[in-house]
Amino acid sequence: MTSSVAPVSAAIPPVLAEVVRSGFVEGHHRGSLVLLGADGSVELAVGDPSAPVFPRSSNKPMQAAAVLRAGLDLAGERLALAAASHSGEDFHLDLVRKMLAEFSLSADELRTPPDLPLDPVAAETYLATGHVRDRVTMNCSGKHTAMLAACELNGWDRATYLDPGHPLQRLVHSVVEEAAGEKVAAVGTDGCGAPLMAISLTGLARAFRHFVLAAPGTAERRVADAMRAHPEYVAGTRRPDTWLMREVPGTLSKMGAEAVQAVALEDGRALAFKIDDGAGRALGPVLARALRLMGVDAPVLDRIGHMPLLGGGDEVGEVRAAF
């Protein structure tokens, strides 16, 4: 009798983090990771960083560079917000609404799904004051506002701005391939509805390296500089991307959903990784370990890398890096 069960692939991703409760390892988070040296060469590869992944919001710097190439003049906090997965804190929402007004756009034109603030503390306050899910509150609303503004500037159709064949999205596609140094392997739909381009983790690390080393005044460097100068607008006051960019000068950092992370240091060293099961709780420990392997020595790594497990309200274990 022939079995209908498919064979298990031998290419099982290695363990990047382990879950330790009361001294007992109760689980593992597998994935792939790549570290690049200052010259762009691969210094460490764990798993298969050459395989394509959806970078999710780690693609946002490339999307922001595309709106600049489309002629939209953004700078400072506004440009940082265009590359953001913002937490939905008051200062984020205030700036999104200001940008909509500045470009004569309506919040109704945003095709972001209505959502609550990404930050749990901000979400509790938002709900307690009687608010409901809103398109502006969704963490990608800054990016979508910038995309709509670029369409308005160029006379492109705003109603179809998220279609993969739209002129703006074709430009994003080109920027992603140029920055990553490879062809897009697949195109999907991100959680916010925008087209999502799959590249390898090595390509993602190369893209972040490209942004920090780009010549001043280029779209890529303008995005990197804005994100690094205003990291609280890229993430939020209680987010590791903000902490890292604030406390390790010159660092560009952007996480993505499904446990993707990309970072480039000022000298061109870069990293990218993905936790295979999408567990966000493994991001911090893996990120802190990877940065230490790259030679970064900063107190913020202890803060980023600490992911406690609780039992009865007390800390009884942790998620820790395992490579």
Side-chain angles (χ1 to χ4, degrees):
M1 181 176 178
T2 303
S3 172
S4 61
V5 178
V8 176
S9 170
I12 299 174
V15 174
L16 294 184
E18 54 189 14
V19 183
V20 184
R21 181 179 296 275
S22 304
F24 179 82
V25 178
E26 67 171 353
H28 302 89
H29 296 296
R30 299 176 180 273
S32 295
L33 172 147
V34 65
L35 306 183
L36 302 183
D39 63 354
S41 63
V42 174
E43 292 197 338
L44 176 67
V46 180
D48 185 8
S50 66
V53 301
F54 280 136
R56 304 297 298 272
S57 285
S58 294
N59 266 348
K60 281 180 177 171
M62 285 83 90
Q63 292 168 320
V67 302
L68 294 183
R69 289 197 185 183
L72 189 65
D73 188 14
L74 289 179
E77 295 93 336
R78 286 162 173 76
L79 183 50
L81 193 62
S85 301
H86 67 72
S87 289
E89 296 172 73
D90 286 344
F91 66 93
H92 296 125
L93 306 185
D94 289 345
L95 186 54
V96 172
R97 294 187 179 104
K98 286 179 182 177
M99 290 173 64
L100 287 167
E102 289 165 357
F103 294 111
S104 300
L105 299 169
S106 165
D108 293 335
E109 294 182 85
L110 294 171
R111 289 181 57 193
T112 49
D115 207 350
L116 298 174
L118 192 61
D119 180 88
V121 176
E124 287 184 6
T125 302
Y126 184 83
L127 290 171
T129 51
H131 292 93
V132 296
R133 295 175 185 271
D134 190 271
R135 295 185 187 279
V136 168
T137 314
M138 198 268 173
N139 74 88
C140 302
S141 60
K143 176 183 79 175
H144 283 248
T145 298
M147 286 182 170
L148 281 169
C151 292
E152 173 66 15
L153 177 67
N154 287 277
W156 295 332
D157 184 49
R158 299 204 301 268
T160 59
Y161 78 101
L162 297 184
D163 291 358
H166 190 280
L168 177 62
Q169 301 305 336
R170 292 202 303 268
L171 182 56
V172 172
H173 193 287
S174 296
V175 172
V176 170
E177 290 189 335
E178 181 181 319
E182 65 187 46
K183 293 293 185 181
V184 166
V187 177
T189 303
D190 211 341
C192 66
L196 178 62
M197 289 76 179
I199 53 177
S200 71
L201 289 170
T202 303
L204 182 60
R206 279 197 302 259
F208 272 60
R209 178 177 182 272
H210 175 69
F211 270 61
V212 300
L213 296 180
T218 60
E220 294 84 353
R221 182 62 175 274
R222 288 170 62 190
V223 171
D225 288 349
M227 291 175 67
R228 292 181 291 186
H230 306 282
E232 66 279 1
Y233 281 90
V234 176
T237 56
R238 291 174 283 271
R239 301 271 295 284
D241 281 332
T242 298
W243 304 338
L244 183 59
M245 288 190 282
R246 182 65 70 200
E247 299 184 39
V248 182
T251 299
L252 180 67
S253 179
K254 186 72 191 73
M255 58 75 67
E258 293 299 318
V260 177
Q261 181 75 53
V263 175
L265 304 179
E266 191 171 28
D267 63 0
R269 287 174 291 161
L271 68 85
F273 64 84
K274 176 175 174 21
I275 306 301
D276 204 49
D277 62 6
R281 66 178 179 177
L283 275 176
V286 172
L287 176 57
R289 172 61 175 162
L291 288 168
R292 288 192 172 102
L293 289 175
M294 294 171 70
V296 177
D297 182 16
V300 70
L301 298 189
D302 291 332
R303 185 181 185 190
I304 289 173
H306 182 55
M307 181 53 63
L309 296 182
L310 302 181
D314 297 323
E315 185 173 338
V316 298
E318 63 177 338
V319 180
R320 67 189 183 195
F323 63 97

